[in-house]
Amino acid sequence: MKTIFWPVFILTWSLVLSGLWIIQPNEAPASLLEFIFVGIIVVFFALGVYFGYNRFRNKQQGFPEDDEMSKKITQKAAALSFYIGVFLWVILIYIQSHTTIGLNWILASGMIGMALTFIISWSILSIGRIKFEQ
Amino acid sequence: MVNRIKELRAKFNLTQNDLALKVNVRRETIVFLEKGKYNPSLKLAYDIAKVFDLTIEEVFIFDEE
């Protein structure tokens, strides 16, 4: 769990802060950062489609859609996203009290951040980049 | 914990797909097991050992470290 924490935490925060940067009202044209943020979202969407397709293919080939390992991966990803989400909300509340960013945007960023944390954790565990601890 | 799944699969001429279908898990689970990235439940360990007609201890070797 410790091995996966920092990569997911840093990646999530770069996304949330990028989101906050984007929603600040300004008249300037789209910046490079906005394109990067949208690009990352597209990558996550593509990952979702890929895993969805794999699930469908498994079913077609007679394999179960879910087995004990996939259920454990989902549980671990949920636990990790909750754990990181606690820190995320604390920092968002701090940002809200020290900037002029609206509460609606803070809430939206927090929710998107939690969802992204789950997707990142689930993807990393599913791809098997980090040893799955018991 | 180390295991002999890959070796036994080759001996019994089974693909990862074949073994996955026999024990009713996804192929990815067999891949993770063979790479030592996942330790199975007691039931899955029993099912895998049963496919090879061996005991759990003969397939999965517990490493003290």
Side-chain angles (χ1 to χ4, degrees):
Chain A
M1 191 71 99
K2 280 180 185 171
T3 329
I4 192 176
F5 177 83
W6 285 111
V8 174
F9 188 81
I10 291 166
L11 194 51
T12 305
W13 265 101
S14 23
L15 289 169
V16 172
L17 293 177
S18 308
L20 290 174
W21 181 280
I22 290 166
I23 62 177
Q24 285 197 79
N26 63 66
E27 299 294 321
S31 67
L32 178 66
L33 196 64
E34 290 176 47
F35 283 116
I36 292 171
F37 184 72
V38 172
I40 291 168
I41 298 291
V42 170
V43 168
F44 284 127
F45 180 75
L47 265 176
V49 171
Y50 172 75
F51 286 119
Y53 171 72
N54 266 359
R55 205 178 156 93
F56 174 75
R57 200 180 57 181
N58 274 340
K59 195 179 176 184
Q60 294 292 94
Q61 292 175 344
F63 297 108
E65 285 179 65
D66 272 319
D67 62 7
E68 63 171 57
M69 192 184 78
S70 65
K71 283 176 189 166
K72 277 185 185 175
I73 286 175
T74 307
Q75 284 169 2
K76 275 191 180 286
L80 190 63
S81 62
F82 176 79
Y83 181 54
I84 294 172
V86 172
F87 294 99
L88 189 136
W89 282 111
V90 169
I91 298 170
L92 278 175
I93 289 166
Y94 177 83
I95 289 172
Q96 202 269 328
S97 61
H98 287 77
T99 61
T100 55
I101 298 169
L103 186 62
N104 287 349
W105 288 112
I106 293 288
L107 290 173
S109 303
M111 286 185 280
I112 291 168
M114 287 182 81
L116 285 174
T117 312
F118 176 76
I119 293 166
I120 294 166
S121 315
W122 189 81
S123 302
I124 293 172
L125 287 168
S126 296
I127 292 165
R129 296 294 300 172
I130 292 171
K131 186 166 180 173
F132 192 81
E133 296 162 9
Q134 292 300 293
Chain B
M1 186 164 69
V2 292
N3 66 69
R4 296 171 55 211
I5 295 175
K6 195 172 183 178
E7 172 203 331
L8 291 165
R9 203 167 48 71
K11 189 178 168 186
F12 282 75
N13 203 23
L14 287 173
T15 64
Q16 288 176 333
N17 276 4
D18 296 335
L19 182 59
L21 285 169
K22 278 179 187 289
V23 295
N24 197 35
V25 295
R26 300 181 312 154
R27 194 183 70 86
E28 290 85 352
T29 304
I30 302 298
V31 174
F32 271 56
L33 281 169
E34 286 188 357
K35 286 182 179 173
K37 287 184 174 178
Y38 176 65
N39 290 334
S41 67
L42 188 58
K43 185 189 179 302
L44 180 56
Y46 175 78
D47 288 344
I48 290 171
K50 200 176 167 188
V51 168
F52 300 123
D53 203 21
L54 295 169
T55 61
I56 292 176
E57 294 90 337
E58 286 171 315
V59 181
F60 298 92
I61 298 112
F62 185 74
D63 184 0
E64 292 281 339
E65 294 182 17

